């Protein structure tokens, strides 16, 4: 059995450390390989891994325990719950790892990818760019196999040239761009609105035509202010809700 190893994390001092750690660890738990160990490293080992205090690590683990992703046993250690899965809604405080966590824990199939002219509605994000590389993916619930959302990503060609589509079946696009391709992401702007399912969405998500869906648009910028990716994701309206918490500093 492969030992469980959490991903690395670059901390943002503008957000609560415990929150960032919990979201990073949450994404690692939901994106773990099937043969990974269910036993987590000790609090001290995790604190060292993330570069935080044991008290901060304890608070992060408490958050995951309350969500039902882990269980903690005196003298035995901390374990991932075998049936751990994504639940909704969740608090989003503006970290990239929160976005990665939100997209993890589902089975993803790449439906297709290839160069295409920049769609008219995305032209403002790609000035001077004639073509983007489009990726289409369908996500299913990890337990039931039920389709939950499908995504279209328009990626800048020079960035797409470094991207292996196979990675998108294992990890969310945000994680692949940041941790595999090496894009230094400066910010992501999110927009969520209610829409009605068009024929393609209704077919892919197995819902009635014109039924309510949540339409998410995420625009990812690199450190130079360029848009490197525009994600358009259609979520089943009966399966998702989004909660944003604004915390006073």
């Amino acid at each position: 059995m492969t030992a469980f190893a959490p991903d690395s994390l670059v901390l943002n001092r503008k957000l609560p450390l415990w929150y960032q750690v919990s979201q990073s660890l949450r994404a690692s738990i939901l994106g773990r390989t099937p043969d990974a160990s269910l036993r987590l490293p000790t609090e001290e080992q995790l604190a060292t891994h993330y570069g935080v205090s044991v008290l901060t690590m304890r608070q992060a683990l408490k958050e995951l325990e309350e969500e039902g992703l882990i269980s903690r046993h005196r003298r035995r250690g901390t374990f991932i719950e075998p049936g751990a899965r994504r639940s909704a809604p969740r608090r989003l405080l503006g970290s990239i790892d929160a976005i990665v966590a939100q997209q993890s824990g589902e089975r993803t199939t790449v439906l297709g990818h290839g160069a295409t002219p920049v769609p008219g509605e995305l032209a403002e994000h790609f000035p001077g760019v004639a073509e983007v590389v489009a990726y289409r993916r369908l996500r299913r619930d990890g337990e039931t196999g039920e389709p939950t959302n499908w995504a279209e990503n328009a990626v800048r060609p020079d960035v797409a040239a470094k991207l292996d589509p196979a990675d998108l079946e294992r990890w969310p696009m945000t994680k692949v761009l940041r941790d595999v391709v090496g894009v230094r992401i400066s910010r992501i702007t999110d927009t969520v609105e209610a829409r009605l399912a068009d024929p393609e969405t209704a077919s892919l998500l197995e819902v009635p035509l014109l039924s309510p869906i949540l339409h998410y648009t995420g625009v990812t910028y690199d450190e130079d202010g360029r848009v490197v990716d525009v994600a358009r994701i259609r979520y089943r309206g009966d399966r998702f809700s989004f909660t944003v918490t604004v915390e006073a500093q």
Side-chain angles (χ1 to χ4, degrees):
M1 178 177 290
T2 304
F4 179 81
D7 293 340
S8 59
L9 171 65
V10 177
L11 293 170
N12 179 348
R13 297 294 167 177
K14 295 181 180 180
L15 295 172
L17 297 182
W18 67 265
Y19 172 77
Q20 296 177 72
V21 170
S22 70
Q23 290 299 304
S24 178
L25 187 53
R26 184 181 191 281
S28 296
I29 289 172
L30 294 177
R32 70 192 187 280
T33 58
D35 61 341
S37 171
L38 294 178
R39 182 170 189 150
L40 290 181
T42 66
E43 286 182 354
E44 292 76 11
Q45 290 170 331
L46 286 171
T48 299
H49 174 79
Y50 285 113
V52 299
S53 69
V54 172
L55 184 61
T56 296
M57 193 67 240
R58 195 167 294 156
Q59 188 174 5
L61 292 172
K62 182 174 182 292
E63 177 83 358
L64 299 178
E65 184 178 26
E66 289 177 350
E67 191 179 340
L69 292 180
I70 64 172
S71 59
R72 309 176 73 188
H73 305 275
R74 188 179 178 86
R75 296 190 180 90
R76 289 180 53 211
T78 302
F79 296 84
I80 299 170
E81 286 296 316
R85 54 181 297 190
R86 182 192 52 75
S87 61
R90 276 189 310 282
R91 290 181 289 178
L92 300 179
L93 301 185
S95 75
I96 292 176
D97 285 281
I99 294 174
V100 171
Q102 195 246 310
Q103 297 172 352
S104 300
E106 296 171 316
R107 290 193 288 115
T108 301
T109 301
V110 176
L111 302 175
H113 64 91
T116 183
V118 176
E121 64 271 25
L122 302 185
E124 64 177 302
H125 299 301
F126 298 102
V129 177
E131 289 185 333
V132 292
V133 179
Y135 298 85
R136 302 172 73 253
R137 294 166 296 144
L138 177 66
R139 297 192 185 106
R140 295 180 178 275
D141 184 280
E143 291 186 0
T144 67
E146 180 183 51
T148 58
N149 64 87
W150 81 277
E152 288 181 297
N153 289 78
V155 180
R156 187 175 287 273
D158 58 308
V159 175
K162 306 173 186 176
L163 195 157
D164 184 347
D167 287 335
L168 296 176
E169 296 197 345
R170 180 178 179 187
W171 296 305
M173 176 66 82
T174 303
K175 180 176 176 62
V176 172
L177 290 175
R178 185 188 66 178
D179 299 341
V180 179
V181 177
V183 174
R184 296 179 66 87
I185 297 174
S186 63
R187 72 184 191 276
I188 299 174
T189 62
D190 297 337
T191 303
V192 180
E193 57 186 321
R195 292 193 182 179
L196 300 178
D198 56 38
E200 183 176 27
T201 296
S203 175
L204 287 172
L205 299 186
E206 301 176 7
V207 297
L209 183 65
L210 301 182
S211 61
I213 64 167
L214 292 177
H215 189 282
Y216 163 92
T217 302
V219 183
T220 300
Y221 297 81
D222 66 12
E223 62 181 350
D224 296 321
R226 299 187 314 163
V227 172
V228 295
D229 168 51
V230 178
R232 291 174 291 174
I233 309 176
R234 291 82 165 175
Y235 293 90
R236 284 182 53 153
D238 60 343
R239 291 294 307 275
F240 285 88
S241 63
F242 289 79
T243 299
V244 177
T245 300
V246 178
E247 295 194 351
Q249 297 298 316

